[in-house]
Amino acid sequence: MRFNAKDLALLARQPSGCFDKEGKLKICRVVRDEKLIEPRERWCRLKGNLLFLMKNKSSEASEVVILERCWIVEFRSKPDVSIVLKFQSGEPDLYLEAASKTDCESWAVALGEANSEGLQNKIQQLRRLIMEIKEERSSDEARQFLPSSQVDSLGEPQFTSIQRIANEPKLEFSLACKDLVAATRDRKLNTFIQVSVVHPAEHILTRYSSTEIVEGTKDPLFLTGVTFPPEYPIYEETKIKLTVYDVKDKSQDTVRTSVLPDHKEPRADIGRSFLGCTTFRVADLVKSKEQQLTLTLRTSDGGKTVGTIEVNLVKMGELEDGETDHITTDAQDQKCALVHECTATEGISGKDSLPSLSAVLKNPICKLYRFPTSDNKWMRIREQMAETTLSFHVPKELINLHIKEDMRRNQELKDLGELAPHWDNMRKSVIAHCDQMLSMYQDTLAELGKHAGSSFKSSCSKGEKTLEFIPINLHLQRMHVHSPRLKDALYDVITVGAPAAHFQGFKNGGLRKLLSKFEAERRNTGYQCIYYSPENTAKAKEVLSNINHLQPLISSHADLLLSSASQHSPDSLKNSLKMLSEKTELFVHAFKDQLVRSALLALYTARPGCPLKKPAMPRNSAEEGSDLQHQDHPSQIKRQDSIPHHSEYDEEEWDRVWANVGKSLNCVIAMVDRLLEKDNVSNTKEGENDPSAADCKVFHTGGDWYEQLYPLVITLKDCMGEVVTRAKQSMAFVLLQELACGLPQCLMLTLRRDIVFSQALAGLVCGFIIKLHAGLHDQGFLQQLHTVGLLVQYEGLLSTYSEEAGMLEDMAVGISDLQKVMFKVIEAKSEDFLPIITGRREHYVIEVQLPAKMFELLPQEIKEGKLLRMYPVLFNVGINEQQTLAERFGDTTLQENINQENLELLKEYYKLFTEKMPPDCLPHFQEQNDLKGLLENLHQNIQAKKRKNVEIMWLAATICRKLNGVRFTCCKSAKDRTSMSVTLEQCSILRDEHQLHKDFFIRALDCMRSRQTQGALNESDDPETGCLTDNKPTSRHFYPVALLLVSSHLLVVWLILSLALLLAKYQ
C-alpha cells in the first residue's frame, strides 16, 4: 500500500477538531519478555485508522501507525495506565502509556474502534439486529393504519409469561458446542459463549452473562449454565442471542471489556476473536418436545457455518444421566456424560415460605452449574446470592429503641430529685453529654430514613458516618445441590463484612482492648464518683427494665380484678387474681437484691444537708472473696464497693416499704377468698328459696364485692408506687455513677458497641430467618431449636496486624453480645413479615413473623411463645499477607485467645446438645466423622498454634453443619477472602458429600470463582472499585483473587522502610 507523504503530513497538521482523539502518550517498541526500549513522550493524533506520532503538538509527524490487523492487550507490569498494540504481521508490539487510568481506557476504546474490521463487525451486528426486530416493528407500523377505536382496544402489547414454579428461576438452560471451526487449522480453540437478551418491549440488546472458558477443544461442553431469576422480565417472545468467542490469550481476556457501554459488543481486537453467533426465541425452547434446541452458528455476515450449539432446558427436579463413553475429546477436562432427561424425586419444597422470605431477600443473582460425579452421573448446582432488606431494617429498629431508652434514662436522672451541689453538677454534665449523644442517634435515624439506594452497604461506604450502623455487604450465599442418588440439599452461608466501627477507626484498638482499659481506669476514679462493677450496673438496668415492664401490667390486672368484682363474675375474679398474683410476685422478686439497698444508702448521702463521707477505695480480690464466702449468712451485710455509709440512715425502712407490697397482695387474696366462699354458701341457700329473691341478693352482693376490694387494691397500688419511686431513683443513681466515672469515654464506648452490635444483629436475624424457613419441615431441627437453642458459627478471616486487629477486637465483642439476644416466633397478622425488635441494651427479643400456614408447622412450645436462645461462636484465622507479617514479626495472641475461648463455648453447646437431644436428629448426610472426634481434632489444631492453620476453619464449619447451625463467613469487606473461602467450601462439600468427580474439583472451583461467567461489568459496578448501581449486587464470589505470600527478604526490606518512615514522622 502506497501513501503520499505530503498528503499524510497535511493531514497530521489539521486543526484539533478534525481528529477523533489526540493527546500525550509515552510510546516505545516492546522487545521479547515485555522489555521496553525507553518510552518517550509523543503527541498522538488519531484520524480514522491512522495514528500519527509527533514530538510535540506543533511539529511534523515522525511516524504513522496503520491500525489494521491488530488488537489491544493490557501491559501486565502497569495494567491501569498502559496498553500494547499487537500486530498480526509480526512486527514489534507498540507500547502506549497514558497519564491516568481514565485516559488509558479512553485511548483503548478509540484505538479498538479505529480499524476497518471493527467497523465491519459493528455494521454487520446492526444489520442482524435490524433483521431480528423487523417482525416486531412491522406489527407496530400496522397499528398506524387501524382506526383509533381499534388501536385503543388493543392497549399495551401483551407478552406471554413463562409457566414456572413459584420462587423458582423463570428459565434455566445449559450449553454445548460441536464442530467449531478455528481460523487456522493448527489452532486449538479456547472458547466461551456470551449470552445476550433482546427484550421484546424495548428491542435493545443487553449482555446478560457468559460461560466459563473451555480450552483446547472444538467440542466444548460448558459446566456453567444460564439462569434467569424469578424477578427477571423474560417472556416467550424474548429473544436470546448466543455469541461464541475464541480467546487468543486467556490471561488477557476481559481486560478492557469493562470500558464498553452495555449495548456494545466486545471487540475482536482485545484478546478474543469472534467465531459465530445465533439467536432463538424463548418459546421455541420451552415448547420443544425434547426441551432441546440445536442451532447453527454463523459468521457475522450470516454466510459461513462455523459449528453448532446445543441448548438444553434445565429443571432442577429432573436428572441428567448417560454413559461417559459417548463423548471423548482431546482435552483432559472434557470427558463428560451425554445429557438425557428423566423424572426424579421431588426437590426441596419451599413454596409455603415465599411471602415471608421474599420480604427479607431481594435482587438475587443466580448461577447454574452441572458437574460430573464419581460414578459418571450428572449433578446440578444452583448458586444464588441475594441481598437482604434487613441490612437497613434492623439497624433502624435498634436505633429507634436506643433513642427511647436514652430518653427514658435522661428523664430518670432528672427525676432523682434534689442533690448536693457536687452530685447535681455531675448530673447536669451527664445529662448534657447524653443529650448530645441522643441528638446524634436521632440525626442518624433521620439520614437512614432518607436512604433510597440499594438494600446493602458496599465496602466503599464503610467509612461513611451516616451508614456506620449498617453491616457491610450482607448477603445470603445459597447452594442448591441436586444429585442423582441423593436427596436435594441446601447449603447456606451468610457473608458479611466484619462488624466493626470503621468510621471511628482503630488507632487505639478495638472494643476488646478499649473496654478492658476503660474498666481499669474507672476503678481509680478517686473522690469524683462511686464505683459500681459492670455486673451491678447491668443489674441496675435490669431492675429499671422490670419496673417499666411490670408496673403497667400490675395496674391493668388490678383494674380487671375490680371490673370482675363489679360484675360479680367468680371465674373472671379468680383469673384476674391469679394474673395479679403472678405479676406482683415477679415485681417483688425483682427487688430482692443487695444492690437496691446499697444504692438507696448512697442516694441518701447525696442529698443536700447530708455530710459527704470519703468513699472507701475498691477492695482487693481477697476481701471480695471473703465476702462471697459469707454472703448468705444473715448476720453478714455485704456492702457495695466504695459506697459511703451514714449513721442516721435507717436501713430497715426499705425492707418495710418493700414488704408492704406483699402484705397488700395477701390482703387482696384473703378478701377474694372470703367473698368467693360467702358467694358459694349464699348460692347454695338461695337455690332452695324463691328465685326472684335470689336475684336481688346477687345484685346486692355484687356491690359489696367492689366496695370491699376497692380500698385494698388502692393500697396495693400506693405501696407499689412508693417502691417504684424509691427503686427507680436508686437505680438511676447507679447509672449516674457509671456515666459520670468515664465521661465522655463511657458514652463513646457505648456508641461504638451499639454500632458493632447493630451490624452483628442484622446478620444474625437474617441467618435465623433463613435457617428457620429451610428447617420448617425438619422436626428434629425444630425440637433442637426450642430445647437447646441455635448454634451460630462465625468464620473470621481477619489478620492480627495493624487495623484489622482492631476490627477483630470489635467483632469478638459484637458477636459475644449476641448471646443476650432471644428469638420468638409469632403468627403474622398482616402482610408485613419483617421482624419486630423489642427490649433494651443487653436484652433484646426478636419477634419473627410467619404466615398462618407456616406457623402451624411449628411445635407447640414455639407457638406458645417460648424464647429461643442463640449460641454464637467465632473462630478466626488470618490468611492474607498481613497475617504473614503478624506471625513473623507481630503478635497472634489475640487470635489464639479468641479461638480458645470460643472452643469452650462450642464444647458447652455440644454437651447441652447431647444431654437434651436424641442422637438420630443429626443430619443423615453428615455421618462420616464423629462429632466428638471432630471437637478433639479442633482442640488439637487450636493448641498447635500452627501458622495460617485453615484446618481450624474447616473443622469448625463441619461441626456447625453437623449441629444444624448457621454459618457466617467474614473478612474486612466480605469480598476477596470471603469469596475464596465460600467457593472452596462449596466445592469441598460437593466432593465430600455429593461425590464430585475428583478430576473436576479444580475446574468446578474455577467456574464458581470465574468473573467471566458473570459477564463484563462496568467498573462502577465492581465492588472492588466502586459502589453498585441499579440496586443489583455484583457477585463477589465469582472471581479469583490470589492470596499473596510475601517472601522473607521482601518482608525485611518492608519492615526497615516502615520503621524509617515512622521515626521520621514522630521526629
Side-chain angles (χ1 to χ4, degrees):
M1 184 181 294
R2 295 184 179 180
F3 296 94
N4 188 314
K6 293 183 179 180
D7 292 341
L8 289 176
L10 181 62
L11 183 61
R13 289 196 299 268
Q14 288 186 350
S16 298
C18 298
F19 294 94
D20 300 328
K21 185 172 181 60
E22 64 177 339
K24 289 183 179 180
L25 292 173
K26 290 184 178 180
I27 296 178
C28 71
R29 293 292 178 177
V30 183
V31 296
R32 294 181 179 178
D33 300 328
E34 292 192 353
K35 293 183 179 179
L36 305 180
I37 305 177
E38 193 178 356
R40 297 185 179 182
E41 190 175 89
R42 292 288 184 266
W43 185 264
C44 302
R45 286 183 163 182
L46 179 64
K47 179 69 174 178
N49 62 349
L50 300 177
L51 179 64
F52 296 97
L53 307 181
M54 311 162 65
K55 290 185 178 181
N56 53 62
K57 192 174 182 179
S58 58
S59 65
E60 297 289 337
S62 59
E63 185 179 355
V64 179
V65 179
I66 303 173
L67 302 175
E68 293 296 338
R69 297 181 181 180
C70 61
W71 66 93
I72 302 171
V73 298
E74 185 182 68
F75 189 70
R76 296 178 182 176
S77 301
K78 297 181 179 180
D80 292 334
V81 296
S82 61
I83 55 178
V84 174
L85 276 174
K86 290 182 174 290
F87 300 91
Q88 293 184 4
S89 60
E91 62 179 293
D93 300 340
L94 185 65
Y95 170 83
L96 299 93
E97 180 180 337
S100 65
K101 182 177 180 180
T102 304
D103 196 20
C104 179
E105 291 173 349
S106 64
W107 272 105
V109 173
L111 294 173
E113 295 177 347
N115 58 60
S116 58
E117 182 181 356
L119 295 175
Q120 289 175 359
N121 290 338
K122 192 181 300 183
I123 292 171
Q124 292 295 337
Q125 173 62 24
L126 292 174
R127 287 177 179 173
R128 187 165 53 254
L129 186 59
I130 291 173
M131 294 299 294
E132 290 172 355
I133 65 177
K134 189 174 182 180
E135 295 179 0
E136 289 84 350
R137 291 289 190 183
S138 61
S139 62
D140 294 338
E141 294 171 358
R143 291 164 62 92
Q144 300 177 5
F145 299 96
L146 293 175
S148 58
S149 59
Q150 295 186 28
V151 173
D152 295 336
S153 65
L154 291 176
E156 293 296 326
Q158 299 296 321
F159 302 114
T160 308
S161 300
I162 302 175
Q163 295 183 357
R164 63 181 182 88
I165 301 174
N167 205 39
E168 291 289 307
K170 285 187 175 180
L171 179 67
E172 292 181 309
F173 57 85
S174 58
L175 299 168
C177 294
K178 287 186 178 181
D179 302 324
L180 295 180
V181 178
T184 59
R185 292 183 179 181
D186 298 335
R187 174 169 174 76
K188 288 187 177 182
L189 295 173
N190 302 325
T191 53
F192 74 94
I193 301 176
Q194 182 171 286
V195 182
S196 303
V197 178
V198 180
H199 297 281
E202 302 173 354
H203 306 293
I204 297 176
L205 186 69
T206 305
R207 286 184 297 181
Y208 182 73
S209 68
S210 299
T211 66
E212 80 279 11
I213 299 174
V214 178
E215 301 183 52
T217 177
K218 64 178 181 179
D219 299 319
L221 191 148
F222 299 97
L223 301 184
T224 304
V226 181
T227 180
F228 293 88
E231 297 81 7
Y232 195 86
I234 188 170
Y235 309 94
E236 290 187 0
E237 294 80 8
T238 303
K239 291 187 175 181
I240 296 179
K241 178 185 176 184
L242 306 175
T243 309
V244 182
Y245 290 97
D246 175 24
V247 180
K248 299 176 182 177
D249 183 359
K250 184 177 179 181
S251 63
Q252 301 291 348
D253 185 53
T254 68
V255 170
R256 292 295 174 187
T257 56
S258 61
V259 302
L260 286 173
D262 284 344
H263 64 276
K264 292 187 178 181
E265 284 292 311
R267 301 181 306 277
D269 55 353
I270 57 171
R272 64 172 72 170
S273 62
F274 173 85
L275 287 182
C277 64
T278 187
T279 304
F280 69 92
R281 293 173 68 248
V282 172
D284 298 336
L285 178 61
V286 297
K287 293 181 178 180
S288 61
K289 293 183 179 180
E290 298 179 355
Q291 297 185 336
Q292 178 180 354
L293 296 178
T294 301
L295 307 172
T296 301
L297 288 170
R298 297 186 179 275
T299 55
S300 57
D301 57 2
K304 183 180 178 182
T305 300
V306 294
T308 59
I309 184 169
E310 292 183 357
V311 184
N312 291 278
L313 188 65
V314 172
K315 296 180 181 178
M316 288 294 286
E318 297 182 353
L319 293 177
E320 290 179 305
D321 203 355
E323 299 297 333
T324 58
D325 57 355
H326 286 184
I327 293 181
T328 56
T329 67
D330 52 351
Q332 60 178 357
D333 291 337
Q334 279 298 113
K335 186 175 181 181
C336 301
L338 277 175
V339 177
H340 297 289
E341 302 292 342
C342 66
T343 306
T345 56
E346 184 178 357
I348 292 178
S349 61
K351 289 83 181 177
D352 296 334
S353 64
L354 302 184
S356 56
L357 201 56
S358 59
V360 175
L361 301 178
K362 62 183 297 187
N363 294 336
I365 289 181
C366 297
K367 295 293 301 298
L368 181 69
Y369 309 102
R370 51 176 176 174
F371 299 138
T373 61
S374 56
D375 56 354
N376 299 323
K377 305 294 181 182
W378 283 109
M379 64 175 166
R380 293 189 182 127
I381 297 91
R382 181 188 295 149
E383 191 181 29
Q384 175 183 335
M385 187 181 74
E387 306 171 16
T388 172
T389 56
L390 300 176
S391 292
F392 281 82
H393 173 75
V394 170
K396 287 193 288 188
E397 291 287 306
L398 265 184
I399 296 174
N400 193 33
L401 289 178
H402 293 334
I403 292 173
K404 293 178 180 179
E405 181 181 350
D406 291 349
M407 292 178 67
R408 188 165 54 246
R409 178 197 58 198
N410 288 358
Q411 187 60 43
E412 289 165 353
L413 292 177
K414 294 175 182 178
D415 293 341
L416 273 175
E418 190 176 2
L419 298 175
H422 168 74
W423 300 107
D424 191 49
N425 291 334
M426 182 183 295
R427 174 172 59 177
K428 291 178 181 178
S429 175
V430 168
I431 292 176
H433 282 85
C434 289
D435 285 341
Q436 293 179 3
M437 194 63 62
L438 183 62
S439 176
M440 191 279 296
Y441 280 105
Q442 292 171 337
D443 293 342
T444 301
L445 184 61
E447 290 296 324
L448 291 179
K450 300 176 184 177
H451 180 81
S454 62
S455 57
F456 75 101
K457 182 175 80 172
S458 60
S459 59
C460 63
S461 303
K462 62 175 172 280
E464 292 186 16
K465 179 175 176 55
T466 56
L467 299 178
E468 57 185 345
F469 285 85
I470 311 300
I472 302 170
N473 277 333
L474 176 59
H475 290 86
L476 165 68
Q477 181 77 12
R478 166 168 287 182
M479 182 174 68
H480 178 188
V481 184
H482 178 74
S483 299
R485 293 181 175 85
L486 298 174
K487 288 185 178 180
D488 283 15
L490 285 180
Y491 300 92
D492 293 335
V493 178
I494 308 297
T495 59
V496 63
H502 292 276
F503 177 78
Q504 297 189 19
F506 309 96
K507 182 178 180 181
N508 298 316
L511 275 173
R512 192 177 171 105
K513 180 187 294 183
L514 293 173
L515 288 172
S516 176
K517 181 180 178 182
F518 173 75
E519 186 60 29
E521 293 176 350
R522 202 161 69 91
R523 289 177 177 270
N524 302 318
T525 51
Y527 300 94
Q528 297 300 319
C529 58
I530 302 171
Y531 172 77
Y532 287 93
S533 66
E535 293 78 14
N536 282 329
T537 302
K539 181 65 179 177
K541 295 177 182 178
E542 182 181 352
V543 170
L544 286 172
S545 177
N546 290 333
I547 291 173
N548 295 325
H549 174 67
L550 293 174
Q551 185 183 14
L553 290 179
I554 294 174
S555 180
S556 63
H557 287 308
D559 294 338
L560 287 175
L561 182 71
L562 292 177
S563 177
S564 300
S566 64
Q567 297 174 8
H568 194 272
S569 174
D571 293 337
S572 177
L573 192 68
K574 291 179 182 179
N575 293 333
S576 299
L577 180 62
K578 179 182 179 182
M579 297 301 297
L580 178 63
S581 301
E582 290 177 355
K583 298 302 179 184
T584 306
E585 288 176 3
L586 291 175
F587 178 82
V588 173
H589 181 73
F591 303 109
K592 280 187 177 181
D593 195 281
Q594 182 66 24
L595 176 64
V596 180
R597 186 192 305 272
S598 60
L600 284 169
L601 172 60
L603 179 60
Y604 177 82
T605 61
R607 297 298 186 189
C610 180
L612 182 63
K613 304 293 182 180
K614 176 180 177 180
M617 296 300 293
R619 294 172 293 178
N620 56 35
S621 58
E623 293 172 336
E624 291 179 358
S626 176
D627 281 347
L628 288 174
Q629 295 176 3
H630 303 286
Q631 62 181 356
D632 294 331
H633 196 280
S635 62
Q636 296 289 336
I637 300 178
K638 180 184 176 182
R639 299 185 180 277
Q640 173 64 36
D641 286 356
S642 71
I643 289 181
H645 311 294
H646 198 268
S647 59
E648 298 179 1
Y649 178 70
D650 185 4
E651 294 188 2
E652 296 182 357
E653 182 182 3
W654 166 248
D655 293 335
R656 292 192 296 269
V657 173
W658 173 58
N660 285 340
V661 177
K663 294 178 181 179
S664 300
L665 177 63
N666 292 333
C667 292
V668 173
I669 294 173
M671 178 58 67
V672 171
D673 291 342
R674 192 179 307 120
L675 293 174
L676 291 175
E677 182 180 356
K678 289 181 179 180
D679 183 65
N680 291 333
V681 174
S682 175
N683 287 339
T684 302
K685 292 181 179 180
E686 293 299 332
E688 301 173 357
N689 299 328
D690 182 42
S692 60
D695 294 339
C696 296
K697 181 70 176 177
V698 168
F699 177 80
H700 178 69
T701 307
D704 292 342
W705 281 19
Y706 182 84
E707 292 173 0
Q708 294 181 58
L709 279 176
Y710 180 76
L712 297 179
V713 171
I714 293 300
T715 302
L716 175 63
K717 288 185 176 181
D718 291 342
C719 293
M720 186 179 63
E722 185 175 0
V723 170
V724 166
T725 301
R726 296 192 180 209
K728 270 192 171 183
Q729 289 182 346
S730 63
M731 296 299 97
F733 189 74
V734 173
L735 298 185
L736 175 64
Q737 308 310 309
E738 179 201 25
L739 295 170
C741 286
L743 283 178
Q745 293 88 349
C746 179
L747 293 178
M748 294 306 298
L749 281 178
T750 301
L751 171 62
R752 189 184 189 102
R753 200 164 188 170
D754 287 345
I755 291 171
V756 175
F757 179 77
S758 172
Q759 298 178 23
L761 183 63
L764 176 64
V765 175
C766 177
F768 177 85
I769 293 177
I770 297 302
K771 186 66 178 179
L772 180 63
H773 282 75
L776 272 176
H777 300 277
D778 185 350
Q779 294 303 316
F781 165 73
L782 295 176
Q783 181 185 353
Q784 174 187 349
L785 188 60
H786 71 79
T787 305
V788 185
L790 183 65
L791 177 66
V792 185
Q793 186 251 328
Y794 289 81
E795 175 183 302
L797 303 172
L798 295 172
S799 70
T800 55
Y801 183 82
S802 187
E803 287 190 346
E804 289 197 10
M807 296 177 200
L808 182 56
E809 291 181 349
D810 277 359
M811 183 179 178
V813 174
I815 292 174
S816 177
D817 287 345
L818 295 178
Q819 298 178 26
K820 302 167 186 175
V821 177
M822 308 288 279
F823 280 81
K824 181 180 179 181
V825 184
I826 62 174
E827 183 177 352
K829 303 300 182 183
S830 66
E831 296 299 321
D832 184 7
F833 298 105
L834 290 174
I836 302 170
I837 305 178
T838 58
R840 58 176 176 83
R841 289 182 179 92
E842 301 179 358
H843 184 73
Y844 287 105
V845 176
I846 315 298
E847 297 181 354
V848 177
Q849 303 186 80
L850 291 182
K853 290 183 179 180
M854 298 173 60
F855 189 75
E856 290 302 319
L857 300 174
L858 298 174
Q860 191 62 32
E861 293 85 350
I862 298 180
K863 289 195 285 188
E864 291 176 354
K866 183 176 182 179
L867 295 180
L868 310 175
R869 290 198 60 187
M870 301 293 110
Y871 293 86
V873 293
L874 165 65
F875 293 96
N876 186 87
V877 175
I879 59 174
N880 64 351
E881 65 277 8
Q882 288 190 339
Q883 184 63 21
T884 305
L885 294 175
E887 290 173 344
R888 297 196 180 204
F889 307 107
D891 185 14
T892 60
T893 306
L894 173 63
Q895 175 176 286
E896 294 167 3
N897 291 340
I898 289 175
N899 290 343
Q900 186 61 46
E901 293 168 6
N902 286 272
L903 175 63
E904 299 303 319
L905 295 176
L906 183 58
K907 288 182 177 179
E908 290 179 12
Y909 180 84
Y910 172 69
K911 181 180 178 182
L912 191 63
F913 180 89
T914 53
E915 291 174 353
K916 296 187 176 182
M917 294 296 296
D920 57 353
C921 67
L922 291 176
H924 66 278
F925 52 84
Q926 298 276 2
E927 297 177 353
Q928 58 181 347
N929 290 313
D930 179 63
L931 262 175
K932 191 173 182 181
L934 288 173
L935 279 169
E936 182 61 30
N937 197 359
L938 178 62
H939 174 77
Q940 292 174 0
N941 276 275
I942 291 176
Q943 294 296 325
K945 299 181 180 180
K946 178 183 175 182
R947 290 182 178 179
K948 294 186 179 180
N949 189 1
V950 294
E951 187 71 13
I952 293 175
M953 315 310 301
W954 177 245
L955 288 170
T958 304
I959 294 171
C960 177
R961 286 194 299 271
K962 281 178 171 288
L963 292 173
N964 292 317
V966 180
R967 286 268 297 110
F968 283 79
T969 299
C970 311
C971 66
K972 181 179 180 180
S973 302
K975 294 188 303 185
D976 301 345
R977 283 168 279 179
T978 298
S979 65
M980 299 294 284
S981 174
V982 169
T983 50
L984 179 60
E985 179 182 355
Q986 290 180 166
C987 289
S988 299
I989 291 174
L990 294 178
R991 178 193 61 198
D992 299 337
E993 308 294 345
H994 298 276
Q995 302 173 2
L996 173 66
H997 198 290
K998 62 180 182 179
D999 295 337
F1000 278 79
F1001 181 86
I1002 298 299
R1003 187 173 171 193
L1005 192 61
D1006 289 341
C1007 285
M1008 289 185 174
R1009 290 178 174 178
S1010 174
R1011 188 176 182 182
Q1012 169 70 12
T1013 60
Q1014 266 312 104
L1017 300 170
N1018 289 335
E1019 185 176 351
S1020 60
D1021 292 339
D1022 187 354
E1024 289 297 317
T1025 57
C1027 302
L1028 304 184
T1029 58
D1030 298 332
N1031 295 335
K1032 279 286 184 182
T1034 303
S1035 175
R1036 64 207 179 286
H1037 296 163
F1038 303 141
Y1039 60 94
V1041 180
L1043 301 178
L1044 302 177
L1045 294 176
V1046 184
S1047 69
S1048 58
H1049 300 290
L1050 290 178
L1051 283 173
V1052 173
V1053 173
W1054 182 89
L1055 183 61
I1056 294 173
L1057 292 175
S1058 299
L1059 291 174
L1061 289 174
L1062 287 174
L1063 290 174
K1065 178 179 178 180
Y1066 289 103
Q1067 285 179 354

